[in-house]
Amino acid sequence: LNKNIYKDVETVIKIDKYNFSKAIEICTLNSKNIWDTNEIDSDNITLKQKKIEKNKGNTENELKCTFPAHSLTSLKLSIK
């Protein structure tokens, strides 16, 4: 959950003792305006789903992520 109204948040997720799978599913719930709701117009808020492959900048147990301003993001991945 990124509560910042104006700024995206960059972070590194690291799980000691485990390695991430290469394929990661990302779902992000967001809107252009923080005050948007979906009661009247359901197109105001979007749910973006995508699958990514870990890039070369990540180690086996690290994942670099950017979370958009005022958004909720879920990551689905496997650990080995």
Side-chain angles (χ1 to χ4, degrees):
L1 175 63
N2 180 0
K3 293 182 182 181
N4 193 304
I5 296 173
Y6 307 108
K7 296 181 183 178
D8 295 349
V9 173
E10 294 181 13
T11 191
V12 175
I13 298 170
K14 183 175 181 179
I15 300 179
D16 291 331
K17 301 181 185 177
Y18 296 100
N19 295 326
F20 291 115
S21 59
K22 271 192 154 185
I24 300 164
E25 294 179 40
I26 300 173
C27 295
T28 303
L29 184 66
N30 198 356
S31 178
K32 291 179 183 177
N33 184 330
I34 188 142
W35 302 111
D36 282 345
T37 64
N38 64 352
E39 287 118 350
I40 297 170
D41 185 359
S42 62
D43 291 334
N44 283 340
I45 298 174
T46 59
L47 178 64
K48 294 180 183 174
Q49 297 179 310
K50 64 181 178 179
K51 291 183 181 183
I52 63 165
E53 295 278 326
K54 271 193 342 186
N55 59 27
K56 295 178 184 176
N58 295 304
T59 63
E60 287 294 315
N61 66 342
E62 274 186 7
L63 178 64
K64 295 177 185 175
C65 294
T66 301
F67 300 104
H70 60 84
S71 67
L72 176 66
T73 303
S74 71
L75 305 171
K76 182 179 178 181
L77 51 95
S78 298
I79 54 174
K80 13 180 190 165

